Structure formats: C-alpha cells, structure tokens
Amino acid sequence: MPNTKPSLLKDLNHNYDGLQPNPIRIFDAEASKIDGVLKLSLGEPDFNVPEHIKQAAINAITTNQSHYGPSNGWPVVRQAAADFLKDRYNLDYNPDTEIALTVGATEGLHSFLDTILNPGDKVLMPSPTFSLYDQLIRINGAEPVYINTESSGFVLTPEQLQHAIDENGAAVKAILLNFPSNPTGVTYNAAQVKAIADVVRKTDLIVISDEIYSELTYDAPHASFAGELPEQTLLINGVSKSHAMTGWRIGIAAGPADLMKRVSLAHAFNVTSASNPELYAAAEALSTEAGRQDTLKMKAEYIKRRDFVVEAMTKLGFKIANPSGAFYVFAKIPAGYIQDDNEFCYDLVRKNKLALIAGSGFGPGGEHYIRLSYAASMDDLKEAMKRLTAYINENKPA
Ligand SMILES: Cc1ncc(COP(=O)(O)O)c(C=O)c1O
C-alpha cells in the first residue's frame, strides 16, 4: 500500500493537530520492552469477568440477539442501569428518556462533549485529572482549563471553582469532575459535593460528572453529583471498573431528558448502539444480587491491597494523597530523589524494572508525583514494593 499523497495531509481536521497518543500508553510501550518488567501502570482491574456475567453474554449470542437494537440500548438494560443508579445512589432517571448505554464511559464522555461544546468554549477541570478529557475537549475545538487542586488535597474547593469561573468569564461552558479520581484515588464526600453544587447552581454551567469508580469507595459511601444538581448534570458510570469489564465496553450516560435527547443523537451518529452480548452482560452485572456481590468481593480485595501499598510506600518516605477510592495511589516523590516525575519513572523502570506513571501527565498539580495502580495481585504488589524499596535504598541522596 503506498503512503497517502502528502498534499492530502495538509488540511485535515485542525482540532487534531498536535494531539498525541496518551502519554501513559507511550510510557507503557517503552516499559513493556524491558525484560522482566513489573507494570503497575495501567488502570485495569486484574479480576476476570464473573461467570454469570459471561453466561449472560453467551445466552445473548446463542439466542441470536444479533440484530440492531435501539440506539440507547435495549429497554431491559436501560431499566437495569436506572435501577442500579436508584438503588446505589438514590438517583431518579427515566430509562426511556434519560439513559443511554454507551461504548464504555469513553464514548459517553465523547457524546456529552460533542453535544454541548462549540469552538472556543472552555471546560474547567480540577487537576490532576484523567488525560483523555483534554483530548476530547480539544477535538471539539474547545479549550481545557485546569484548576490545580494540589494545595487542597486534590479536592476542588468552592473558592477555587468560583475564582476559575470569574477568571474565564462567559467562555466557560462546563465543568468536568471525576471522583473517585484517576489518578489521585481521592474522592469527594457529600459535603464537598454539595459545596461545589452550590456554586454551580448559580450559573448556567453543565457539570459532566465522571463517576466510573463510584462503586470503589473505601471509607464512605459515594455521593453522586447528580444527587445534588440533577438538572445541570450529565452523569457517567459503567461496568468497566465495578465488574472488571474494561474490554466489554459498556458505559452508562444519564442526564435530564432534553439534554439526553441531544446526547443520544451524538451517540447514535457515532456508534449506532453498543453491542448486544455486552449490553445483556451489563444488565446481569447491574441488576442481580450476584453482580452486587462481585463488586463487594473485588472491593474487599482492593482495600487489602491499598492498605498494604500505602503502608509500604509511607515507610519509604512517599507522601500519599488520601487514597479513598478507585485503585490508585498518588504519591509524592521523597525529597532528595529525582524530583522530575518523568525522569524518576524512567530511572525506576530502567534500574529496578518497576513501571509506575509520572504524575505530570495528568496536568498541573501532578508534578513530583507518581501514580501506582493497585489493581494487581498481592504477589505482584509485594514484588513491586521490594523493587521500590531496593530503588529507594540504592539511590539514597548523598
Ligand atoms: C476516570 C476515567 N473515566 C473513564 C475511563 C474510561 O472508562 P471506559 O473503559 O468505560 O471507557 C477511565 C479508564 O481508565 C477512567 O479512569
């Protein structure tokens, strides 16, 4: 196959100019080349999909659920999603008009941003945050605006938000929240959610609240932003993290009916619908007692792993952001060691074959931090702590 005629490449969609593949993937590809490397770099549960959920997908295949369905997902699956949101977070969504099942949380976020953004709009984001948001905003010709939350323990305060709204003026269209957070593992309690909602209520801003890790909170029940301000919230959830189904690609997008009408158009134009076997599997995950128990079992494991890693890293001198949800530890590099987080991660992986992610890739506030994903077996975590201990001991400041 010959290369593209060069002159054709000059005037493609300029919103993509300068965009790069996710830096985590680039580092991961580099790290993977190292023989014997141990990777705690990806946000990917290590559990298998529970058997009863697999069976639901198999049943859909053997009963020939092979035809186009409604673009927002089959009614029974939308009902399961609505029941899940009601049961777990006391949220009231009409499955016929206020819920769309998407191709992972990612496509839901994409459809939300496609729907609401015009070129030149700004989207506020507490930072550090999940790097995909930046790219999804930019491909819509809009501008991400980061609010550095390091000084407030990685939780956005009402004062920080108000300041950013005042500073950026009428161009601000939306706020993109994510809690429990990737990369920090920090989450918001009910009072913190309410404090942010009280600021947003006075504005015409839309909040996109990515709560994909809501089932993985360890110290207090999750408080959804949609519980405080449903009329201004577009909510994202899904089964990727709660049921270790990242490769199955089912997300839940929910919001007020008139906004969701537009979101559903974006979703339908992009993908027509999510895939049938995965949709039926998600219904099984979301609506059955067995599905609930799966999550609780995984959560109990994550708590043990978190406690182990936090204790070990604290002993080594890392200062760790309050690790209350998701499956990440966000740790400040101890004084005296390489302070550039990118250099630190490359040095660690080259010398001791442990791959962790540099915090600065997640935006302002992440500099000098590293992210460790504890969605890995206890054996791997023990080995990781051995390698990290060796690195810390062997590179002691003079
Ligand atoms: C905060 C956050 N949102 C969304 C996603 C993507 O979720 P999905 O795999 O369901 O598209 C991830 C995946 O790591 C994430 O960390």
Side-chain angles (χ1 to χ4, degrees):
M1 180 71 183
N3 283 337
T4 316
K5 186 177 175 190
S7 53
L8 299 188
L9 295 171
K10 283 191 194 134
D11 199 26
L12 301 178
N13 183 341
H14 292 298
N15 292 336
Y16 282 78
D17 291 352
L19 292 188
Q20 297 293 336
N22 185 326
I24 296 180
R25 296 267 168 197
I26 298 173
F27 176 78
D28 189 68
E30 278 295 305
S32 301
K33 291 181 198 153
I34 298 174
D35 207 26
V37 70
L38 175 53
K39 296 196 295 180
L40 300 180
S41 41
L42 294 184
E44 166 101 277
D46 59 314
F47 299 106
N48 290 327
V49 174
E51 290 303 320
H52 67 109
I53 297 176
K54 288 184 195 166
Q55 199 54 53
I58 292 167
N59 291 348
I61 293 169
T62 53
T63 57
N64 296 309
Q65 306 297 327
S66 52
H67 303 284
Y68 287 127
S71 120
N72 285 344
W74 298 97
V76 66
V77 193
R78 277 184 271 127
Q79 185 68 55
D83 292 347
F84 166 80
L85 294 174
K86 176 68 183 170
D87 177 50
R88 303 287 303 123
Y89 310 115
N90 199 25
L91 303 174
D92 288 297
Y93 287 106
N94 181 333
D96 294 330
T97 54
E98 297 178 330
I99 289 196
L101 281 322
T102 55
V103 181
T106 300
E107 190 262 313
L109 288 161
H110 202 308
S111 293
F112 281 169
L113 291 163
D114 265 13
T115 304
I116 65 175
L117 292 179
N118 288 310
D121 283 346
K122 293 184 176 182
V123 180
L124 304 179
M125 295 191 291
S127 170
T129 195
F130 184 43
S131 37
L132 174 74
Y133 304 146
D134 185 289
Q135 289 134 341
L136 292 183
I137 293 165
R138 290 183 196 276
I139 62 175
N140 279 289
E143 185 190 333
V145 177
Y146 290 97
I147 308 171
N148 185 334
T149 60
E150 191 200 359
S151 64
S152 49
F154 300 115
V155 171
L156 179 68
T157 66
E159 294 75 24
Q160 289 165 342
L161 177 58
Q162 190 61 58
H163 182 252
I165 292 171
D166 294 343
E167 210 172 36
N168 288 281
V172 180
K173 171 65 68 67
I175 304 163
L176 215 164
L177 299 178
N178 164 229
F179 61 96
S181 156
N182 177 7
T184 67
V186 171
T187 196
Y188 289 41
N189 64 32
Q192 289 163 333
V193 169
K194 182 175 181 314
I196 298 300
D198 286 344
V199 175
V200 179
R201 203 184 312 278
K202 295 185 218 133
T203 71
D204 283 339
L205 300 181
I206 293 170
V207 170
I208 295 177
S209 194
D210 179 351
E211 301 180 20
I212 188 74
Y213 294 98
S214 65
E215 288 290 277
L216 302 177
T217 56
Y218 306 122
D219 302 326
H222 177 76
S224 176
F225 197 85
E228 278 298 331
L229 201 56
E231 64 274 33
Q232 281 175 254
T233 305
L234 289 170
L235 176 68
I236 283 290
N237 212 307
V239 292
S240 297
K241 314 290 174 172
S242 60
H243 291 81
M245 291 171 68
T246 45
W248 292 54
R249 315 304 306 129
I250 299 295
I252 303 170
D258 30 17
L259 265 175
M260 284 306 291
K261 210 171 174 176
R262 297 283 283 251
V263 170
S264 302
L265 289 178
H267 163 69
F269 297 157
N270 273 322
V271 297
T272 304
S273 73
S275 154
N276 287 341
E278 285 80 355
L279 280 170
Y280 285 108
E284 172 74 17
L286 294 169
S287 67
T288 61
E289 181 53 27
R292 173 95 189 99
Q293 291 306 319
D294 298 330
T295 302
L296 292 176
K297 276 185 230 148
M298 294 180 201
K299 184 164 148 166
E301 275 304 309
Y302 287 135
I303 290 175
K304 282 189 223 155
R305 297 166 180 192
R306 173 196 67 163
D307 292 348
F308 170 72
V309 169
V310 167
E311 193 186 330
M313 290 183 74
T314 306
K315 272 192 198 144
L316 292 176
F318 288 91
K319 257 180 65 194
I320 294 175
N322 183 17
S324 44
F327 35 62
Y328 305 107
V329 160
F330 204 58
K332 192 161 193 179
I333 300 167
Y337 292 86
I338 298 173
Q339 287 298 300
D340 180 302
D341 47 294
N342 273 302
E343 268 184 46
F344 181 93
C345 286
Y346 274 102
D347 200 46
L348 173 64
V349 78
R350 283 183 192 130
K351 288 181 177 157
N352 294 76
K353 302 189 176 194
L354 175 62
L356 306 179
I357 295 290
S360 56
F362 300 100
E367 304 85 359
H368 318 308
Y369 285 81
I370 50 171
R371 188 195 76 174
L372 174 149
S373 165
Y374 55 86
S377 72
M378 203 53 154
D379 284 349
D380 278 355
L381 293 176
K382 284 183 182 158
E383 176 60 27
M385 290 306 107
K386 265 193 208 151
R387 294 185 190 192
L388 189 59
T389 304
Y391 179 84
I392 289 293
N393 289 338
E394 287 155 16
N395 294 278
K396 273 211 162 73

